[in-house]
């Protein structure tokens, strides 16, 4: 046991310098140790060069890797696999080598200027006075955009390394814990085999800890390199931004620059044409080769090498066809770029607002066309990438023969060529779109100083947009006519302007017709003595007929054929058959009511428990205003199908009745005369028929008399008010005559042949004697009440 502890202590002493070297680099780079904060005089050891230390660690790791490789080679000859120690050492060599490279890049970055020679030359070109070449301004913009994208990618990489650093810190804690556990197991081992096994485990754990430490140091160095690069490039970006703000308003496109750009575009177009010729020739060779193989395939094995070769040729020929298509797209993009450069040249050379507006419109249309193509390019590129990944998975199949693997590799290369072609077209379109958006911004917003013509330019832009919307063709229709016995088809375009004009003309015409029809209705009522309801019906039907004529007239005037609405015939028939049957039934009922005139405006009707005046009779529903002021919309079909009480159908006279009872012994004749006189004196009671009083019956408590009188219904008459007035008058006059209006009377007989039961209920103890007395008093009250009732006559 003492010997094991001695070897363990010796091992720790041997590994201590290496562990210190692993941890010393981050401390020296970032000043994280406490010793870094001490004065220089207090430090006794000299500063270690991180680059030399990293090279030393790399050399030591390579030496250990070589030794372990020799051991693994001997073990492999004996049938043993490559050891885990060899894999860890290989990972360490890679990490130490990456650390050396990062330190070299960091040193180069610290000593190099922030801008490249090309950028330095480009910035120096704008030190002179304006104007500046638009081509050089475009180059400056490209450098600025490239730098901005590079800074964005650096920021994303920094965030990724920060997350990785956090994970490695946790991994370092786990590795340190694994080393301590391995050392504890080694210290407690007794047998030699167990000691050797635990020693190997401890060495593997130590190597794992060294790997995590090296990975953490490399990640920290990577973050430091990114941070230094961002700090160095950010001022350069701001400098370019300020320079662009200064030179953009002063850029000019000279004729020499324009001709130079046109020559460059022609050169690109010639190269694309040459590439098209080359691809056509290659496809012709492939087609000839495939035709030769197709002849040889007759009678051969369909799964043999000839069939596989033909499959490869098919894929290559399809790739060639797609390459021709992408080259054609590139040629079209070059032509679009040439037209855009011409528009830009015109915009720079002209000061006329209308010309600038035409340039803006043309460039905007080009930008919209390019934007619409970008989605298509990306979708095709994604599809090609998916095919490449599937082919790569197929190529990973270990059961393929060498010839089959060669053929699958050729197919993979052809598929990768498709991705490259799509990507080249997508990049070219994106670059041209970015250029045109820049030019639009220059001409429309920041490219010119503010002057008095800017409002004219804005007005022209708005006018052009509105004109495009007005002339936008929604759809086109064909109209066939017969000319000299032949059918001639004419196509008409239905634009937004035609539609809006037709709708506006219809609204104006309908408004004029409504005024004219209202005037005619008043003339029919006042001069021709036509009934108001009939005049309203004539007005409604006239408006319907005039609206149909107006629609046909406007469609012909706007050159919109009626065949546009032919597709609505089937849908309209289905709608009438299923969805509008209730509406049609109500409309037909309304027409019947209007012509039969069984129910008219002003009639007093009672339907479904509601009584009131008919205020309006329309085609679909009628309006009923109740005596309580509420209005109800009654479907016309209900007025025909249900039983309706029309109080004013043929006569507005309505009979009403008031019953009154007088006491027995009263003079009945005198009472009848008084009641009849009350009715005669009321102004709203009709004298013809004359009011009558009838002796109706001998009631239980009174002699019953009934006053029957007639009133004429009208908008100013309320029957309840007449009844109330008559009752007031009868009560007053009968009282003066001493005639009593009887009320119900009852005689109650109490049987006293048996004693009255009296119960005394004892109240709870908590409530006291007062509660008992009150209960006894309440029980005694019914007896007194019965005695009083017995004495009543």
């Amino acid at each position: 046991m003492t010997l094991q502890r001695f070897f363990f202590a010796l091992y720790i002493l041997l590994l201590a310098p290496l562990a210190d070297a692993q941890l010393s680099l981050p401390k020296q780079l970032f000043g994280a140790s406490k010793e870094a904060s001490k004065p220089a005089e207090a430090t006794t050891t000299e500063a270690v060069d991180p680059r030399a230390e990293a090279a030393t660690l790399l050399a030591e790791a390579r030496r250990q890797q070589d030794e372990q490789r020799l051991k693994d080679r001997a073990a492999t000859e004996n049938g043993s696999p490559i050891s885990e120690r060899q894999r860890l050492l290989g990972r360490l060599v890679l990490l130490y080598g990456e650390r050396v490279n990062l330190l070299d890049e960091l040193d180069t970055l610290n000593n190099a200027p922030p801008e490249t020679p090309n950028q330095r030359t480009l910035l120096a070109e704008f030190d002179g006075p304006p104007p500046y070449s638009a081509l050089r301004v475009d180059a400056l913009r490209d450098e600025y955009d490239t730098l901005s994208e590079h800074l964005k990618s650096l920021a994303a990489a920094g965030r990724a390394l920060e997350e990785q650093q956090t994970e490695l810190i946790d991994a370092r804690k786990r590795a340190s814990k694994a080393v301590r556990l391995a050392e504890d197991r080694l210290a407690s081992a007794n047998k030699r085999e167990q000691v050797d096994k635990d020693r190997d485990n401890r060495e593997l754990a130590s190597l794992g800890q060294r790997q995590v430490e090296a990975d953490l140091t490399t990640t920290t160095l990577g973050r430091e390199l990114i941070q230094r690069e961002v700090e160095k490039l950010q001022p350069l970006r701001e400098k370019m931004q300020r320079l662009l703000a200064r030179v953009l308003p002063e850029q000019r496109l000279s004729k020499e620059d324009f001709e130079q750009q046109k020559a460059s575009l022609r050169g690109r177009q010639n190269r694309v044409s040459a590439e098209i010729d080359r691809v056509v020739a290659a496809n012709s060779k492939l087609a000839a080769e495939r035709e030769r193989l197709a002849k040889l395939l007759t009678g051969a094995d369909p799964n043999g090498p000839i069939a596989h070769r033909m499959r490869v040729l098919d894929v290559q020929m399809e790739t060639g066809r797609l390459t021709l298509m992408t080259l054609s797209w590139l040629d079209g993009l070059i032509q679009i770029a040439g037209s855009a450069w011409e528009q830009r040249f015109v915009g720079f050379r002209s000061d006329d607002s209308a010309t600038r507006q035409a340039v803006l419109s043309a460039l905007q249309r080009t930008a919209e066309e390019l934007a619409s193509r970008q989605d298509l390019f990306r979708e095709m590129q994604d599809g090609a990438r998916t095919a490449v990944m599937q082919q790569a998975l197929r190529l990973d199949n270990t059961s393929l023969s060498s010839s089959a693997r060669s053929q699958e590799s050729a197919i993979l290369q052809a598929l990768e060529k498709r991705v490259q072609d799509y990507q080249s077209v997508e990049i070219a379109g994106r670059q041209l779109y970015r250029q045109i958006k820049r030019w639009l911004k220059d001409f429309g917003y920041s490219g010119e100083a503010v002057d008095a013509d800017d409002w004219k330019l804005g007005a022209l832009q708005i006018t052009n947009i509105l004109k495009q919307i007005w002339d936008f063709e929604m759809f086109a229709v064909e109209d066939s006519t017969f000319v000299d016995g032949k059918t001639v088809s004419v196509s008409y375009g239905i634009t937004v302007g035609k539609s809006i004009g037709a709708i506006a003309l219809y609204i104006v015409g309908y408004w004029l017709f409504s005024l004219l029809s209202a005037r005619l209705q008043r003339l029919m009522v006042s001069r021709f003595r036509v009934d108001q309801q009939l005049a309203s019906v004539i007005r409604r039907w006239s408006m319907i007929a005039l609206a149909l004529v107006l629609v046909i007239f406007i469609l012909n005037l706007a050159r919109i054929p009626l065949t546009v609405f032919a597709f609505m015939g089937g849908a309209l028939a289905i709608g009438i058959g299923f969805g509008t049957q209730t509406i049609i039934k109500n409309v037909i009922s309304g027409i019947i009511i209007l012509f039969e005139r069984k129910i008219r405006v002003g009639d007093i009707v009672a339907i479904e428990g509601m009584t009131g005046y008919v205020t309006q009779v329309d085609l679909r529903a009628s309006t009923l205003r109740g005596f309580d002021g509420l209005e109800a919309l009654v479907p016309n079909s209900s007025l025909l199908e249900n039983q309706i009480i029309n109080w004013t159908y043929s006569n507005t006279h309505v009979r009403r009745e008031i019953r009154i009872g007088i006491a027995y012994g009263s003079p009945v004749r005198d009472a009848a005369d008084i009641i009849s006189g009350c009715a005669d004196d009321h102004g709203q009671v009709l004298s013809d028929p004359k009011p009558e009083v009838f002796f109706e019956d001998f009631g239980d408590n009174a002699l019953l008399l009934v006053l029957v009188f007639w009133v004429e219904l009208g908008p100013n008459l309320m029957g309840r008010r007449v009844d109330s007035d008559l009752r007031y008058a009868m009560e007053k006059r009968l009282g003066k005559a001493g005639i009593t209006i009887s009320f119900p009377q009852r005689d109650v007989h109490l049987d006293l042949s048996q004693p009255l039961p009296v119960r005394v209920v004892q109240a709870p103890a908590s409530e006291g004697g007062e509660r008992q007395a009150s209960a006894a008093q309440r029980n005694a009250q019914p007896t007194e009440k019965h005695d009083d009732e017995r004495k009543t006559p």
Side-chain angles (χ1 to χ4, degrees):
M1 191 67 181
T2 306
L3 185 60
Q4 292 177 356
R5 292 180 179 178
F6 172 77
F7 282 114
F8 175 74
L10 181 61
Y11 181 80
I12 294 298
L13 291 176
L14 290 175
L15 288 181
L18 186 58
D20 291 337
Q22 289 279 348
L23 300 176
S24 61
L25 181 59
K27 297 178 181 179
Q28 295 166 1
L29 283 176
F30 308 111
S33 64
K34 296 182 180 179
E35 289 78 9
S37 61
K38 296 181 180 180
E41 293 78 9
T43 306
T44 58
T45 60
E46 296 181 357
V48 180
D49 183 13
R51 174 67 172 76
E53 184 179 5
T56 302
L57 292 174
L58 177 60
E60 177 64 22
R62 285 175 176 172
R63 184 188 62 78
Q64 294 178 1
Q65 184 183 23
D66 294 338
E67 294 177 355
Q68 187 65 34
R69 187 179 292 114
L70 294 176
K71 296 179 181 179
D72 290 343
R73 185 177 302 171
T76 305
E77 293 175 356
N78 296 330
S80 300
I82 299 176
S83 64
E84 180 68 19
R85 180 181 177 87
Q86 174 66 19
R87 283 191 287 269
L88 290 175
L89 288 172
R91 178 65 177 165
L92 270 177
V93 169
L94 291 177
L95 290 174
Y96 289 150
E98 182 67 20
R99 183 191 301 185
V100 172
N101 295 332
L102 288 175
L103 289 172
D104 292 339
E105 292 180 10
L106 189 60
D107 184 64
T108 304
L109 180 64
N110 292 330
N111 298 325
E115 65 273 359
T116 62
N118 184 29
Q119 292 174 347
R120 192 180 307 111
T121 303
L122 184 62
L123 294 175
E125 292 180 2
F126 297 98
D127 292 338
Y132 303 106
S133 172
L135 297 182
R136 303 311 297 166
V137 173
D138 289 344
L140 179 61
R141 280 175 161 176
D142 293 336
E143 290 291 340
Y144 175 76
D145 291 341
T146 303
L147 183 58
S148 300
E149 293 296 330
H150 182 56
L151 287 174
K152 289 182 181 178
S153 63
L154 287 178
R159 290 192 296 270
L161 289 179
E162 183 179 1
E163 295 179 359
Q164 184 179 358
Q165 187 179 28
T166 304
E167 295 176 358
L168 289 174
I169 290 174
D170 296 336
R172 182 175 62 179
K173 295 179 181 178
R174 294 192 296 269
S176 300
K177 182 179 180 181
V179 170
R180 291 194 299 270
L181 292 177
E183 290 174 350
D184 292 342
R185 285 194 294 270
L186 179 61
S188 59
N190 295 323
K191 296 181 180 180
R192 185 174 183 82
E193 294 81 1
Q194 186 65 30
V195 170
D196 294 338
K197 182 179 179 181
D198 290 340
R199 184 180 294 110
D200 292 339
N201 292 334
R202 184 192 61 185
E203 291 178 358
L204 288 177
S206 300
L207 281 177
Q209 185 181 16
R210 289 174 58 190
Q211 176 190 336
V212 173
E213 291 288 350
D215 202 352
L216 180 59
T217 305
T218 303
T219 304
T220 307
L221 272 175
R223 286 193 61 194
E224 175 67 14
L225 180 63
I226 290 175
Q227 184 178 359
R228 296 280 181 86
E229 189 173 1
V230 169
E231 292 175 354
K232 183 169 264 188
L233 294 180
Q234 189 66 33
L236 178 61
R237 179 181 178 276
E238 295 175 356
K239 180 180 178 180
M240 286 186 178
Q241 188 176 11
R242 292 192 299 268
L243 182 59
L244 281 174
R246 180 174 63 85
V247 302
L248 278 177
E250 304 297 337
Q251 62 174 326
R252 295 293 182 269
L253 182 60
S254 63
K255 188 171 182 59
E256 292 77 11
D257 291 341
F258 175 66
E259 293 297 336
Q260 176 185 351
Q261 188 64 29
K262 293 288 286 185
S264 175
L265 291 175
R266 284 194 297 270
R268 290 177 56 189
Q269 197 166 17
N270 293 333
R271 289 193 296 272
V272 171
S273 299
E275 183 67 16
I276 290 176
D277 295 339
R278 188 191 64 78
V279 174
V280 169
N283 275 6
S284 300
K285 293 181 180 180
L286 292 176
E289 177 68 15
R290 189 186 186 285
E291 184 177 358
R292 186 183 66 82
L293 292 177
K295 295 178 180 179
L296 296 177
L297 187 61
T298 305
D301 185 8
N303 296 323
I306 298 178
H308 291 297
R309 176 57 182 166
M310 289 182 62
R311 175 171 172 264
V312 174
L313 289 176
D314 290 337
V315 175
Q316 291 176 345
M317 291 176 61
E318 178 67 16
T319 301
R321 186 185 66 81
L322 294 176
T323 302
L324 287 176
M325 181 179 67
T326 56
L327 289 174
S328 300
W329 287 347
L330 280 175
D331 185 72
L333 289 176
I334 293 173
Q335 295 178 6
I336 292 174
S339 301
W341 273 98
E342 291 177 357
Q343 294 294 334
R344 189 188 187 193
F345 179 70
V346 172
F348 273 114
R349 302 286 288 185
S350 177
D351 295 332
D352 183 49
S353 298
T355 304
R356 291 173 60 195
Q357 171 59 27
V359 170
L360 282 174
S361 301
L363 292 178
Q364 182 65 30
R365 288 193 298 270
T366 304
E368 292 174 356
E369 182 180 356
L370 291 173
S372 63
R373 293 184 181 182
Q374 289 300 310
D375 294 337
L376 175 62
F377 294 157
R378 282 191 289 268
E379 289 178 2
M380 298 180 69
Q381 192 173 348
D382 293 340
R385 285 198 180 97
T386 302
V388 168
M389 289 188 294
Q390 293 176 352
Q391 181 64 23
L393 293 176
R394 191 178 298 111
L395 192 60
D396 290 339
N397 189 2
T398 57
S399 62
L400 292 176
S401 61
S402 59
S403 59
R405 186 174 298 277
S406 176
Q407 294 172 357
E408 295 296 335
S409 298
I411 294 176
L412 180 61
Q413 291 177 0
L415 295 177
E416 290 175 347
K417 181 66 169 56
R418 297 181 188 181
V419 176
Q420 295 174 2
D421 293 339
Y422 293 147
Q423 188 174 5
S424 63
V425 175
E426 195 266 336
I427 292 175
R430 187 171 64 247
Q431 290 177 349
L432 181 57
Y433 175 77
R434 183 177 61 183
Q435 282 185 339
I436 294 177
K437 295 300 287 184
R438 289 175 181 171
W439 302 344
L440 284 170
K441 186 177 179 181
D442 292 343
F443 287 131
Y445 300 98
S446 61
E448 296 290 342
V450 178
D451 53 19
D453 292 335
D454 281 350
W455 69 271
K456 298 180 182 179
L457 179 61
L460 286 173
Q461 290 177 348
I462 296 175
T463 303
N464 185 55
I465 293 174
L466 293 178
K467 186 176 182 301
Q468 292 178 0
I469 296 175
W470 184 267
D471 295 334
F472 178 74
E473 184 176 345
M474 297 184 293
F475 55 92
V477 295
E478 291 186 357
D479 189 16
S480 300
T481 57
F482 288 93
V483 179
D484 296 334
K486 297 181 179 179
T487 303
V488 178
S489 298
V490 182
S491 180
Y492 295 98
I494 309 302
T495 62
V496 175
K498 282 186 178 181
S499 304
I500 295 177
I503 293 173
L505 188 59
Y506 177 81
I507 292 174
V508 174
Y510 191 85
W511 176 68
L512 292 176
F513 283 157
S514 63
L515 294 179
L516 181 61
S517 62
R519 177 65 176 171
L520 291 176
Q521 181 181 359
R522 289 194 295 270
L523 288 176
M524 284 188 295
V525 174
S526 61
R527 180 172 297 181
F528 300 103
R529 301 290 185 256
V530 179
D531 184 70
Q532 179 70 31
Q533 183 182 7
L534 181 59
S536 177
V537 172
I538 295 174
R539 177 174 177 266
R540 291 193 186 97
W541 282 102
S542 300
M543 286 298 300
I544 293 174
L546 289 175
L548 292 176
V549 173
L550 184 62
V551 167
I552 297 174
F553 172 76
I554 291 174
L555 291 178
N556 290 329
L557 185 63
R559 299 180 62 84
I560 300 176
L562 294 177
T563 54
V564 174
F565 308 99
F567 70 95
M568 298 177 59
L572 185 61
I574 296 174
I576 292 176
F578 293 98
T580 62
Q581 54 183 347
T582 303
I583 297 177
I584 297 299
K585 180 176 68 173
N586 288 325
V587 170
I588 295 175
S589 301
I591 295 173
I592 295 173
I593 292 172
L594 289 174
F595 279 95
E596 285 188 351
R597 304 186 65 190
K598 299 293 185 180
I599 299 175
R600 297 164 295 182
V601 175
D603 287 352
I604 299 177
V605 298
I607 179 174
E608 296 181 356
M610 183 177 182
T611 305
Y613 296 96
V614 177
T615 59
Q616 192 173 1
V617 179
D618 291 329
L619 290 177
R620 190 189 66 84
S622 299
T623 304
L624 181 64
R625 182 179 179 84
F627 294 141
D628 54 0
L630 299 178
E631 291 184 341
L633 297 178
V634 182
N636 290 331
S637 59
S638 299
L639 297 178
L640 290 182
E641 297 172 356
N642 298 328
Q643 182 178 357
I644 307 298
I645 300 176
N646 191 342
W647 289 10
T648 57
Y649 173 61
S650 60
N651 191 353
T652 58
H653 295 177
V654 179
R655 188 188 70 179
R656 299 186 66 85
E657 296 180 356
I658 297 178
R659 286 175 172 78
I660 186 172
I662 61 176
Y664 277 90
S666 300
V668 180
R669 289 290 181 182
D670 295 342
D673 293 339
I674 293 173
I675 294 172
S676 178
C678 293
D680 293 336
D681 295 341
H682 198 284
Q684 291 180 318
V685 176
L686 298 179
S687 58
D688 186 18
K690 185 177 178 59
E692 294 184 274
V693 179
F694 297 95
F695 193 164
E696 186 176 51
D697 198 0
F698 295 97
D700 295 337
N701 304 295
L703 303 173
L704 300 180
L705 302 179
V706 179
L707 172 62
V708 179
F709 61 96
W710 292 78
V711 295
E712 184 175 5
L713 295 178
N716 298 324
L717 174 68
M718 187 167 60
R720 183 175 295 181
R721 173 61 62 188
V722 176
D723 295 347
S724 177
D725 294 341
L726 292 176
R727 289 190 180 98
Y728 275 124
M730 286 187 289
E731 191 273 335
K732 183 177 180 181
R733 295 186 182 184
L734 290 176
K736 287 183 179 181
I739 299 175
T740 303
I741 299 176
S742 64
F743 54 88
Q745 299 181 11
R746 296 289 185 270
D747 290 338
V748 180
H749 299 278
L750 183 63
D751 186 8
L752 298 178
S753 60
Q754 298 293 332
L756 296 176
V758 178
R759 291 186 301 168
V760 179
V761 180
Q762 185 177 0
S766 60
E767 297 182 358
E770 295 181 358
R771 181 66 60 86
Q772 295 179 1
S774 61
Q777 185 177 0
R778 285 197 303 270
N779 293 331
Q781 285 179 357
T783 305
E784 298 175 358
K785 182 176 180 181
H786 292 313
D787 292 341
D788 294 339
E789 291 179 352
R790 184 176 56 81
K791 297 176 182 179
T792 301

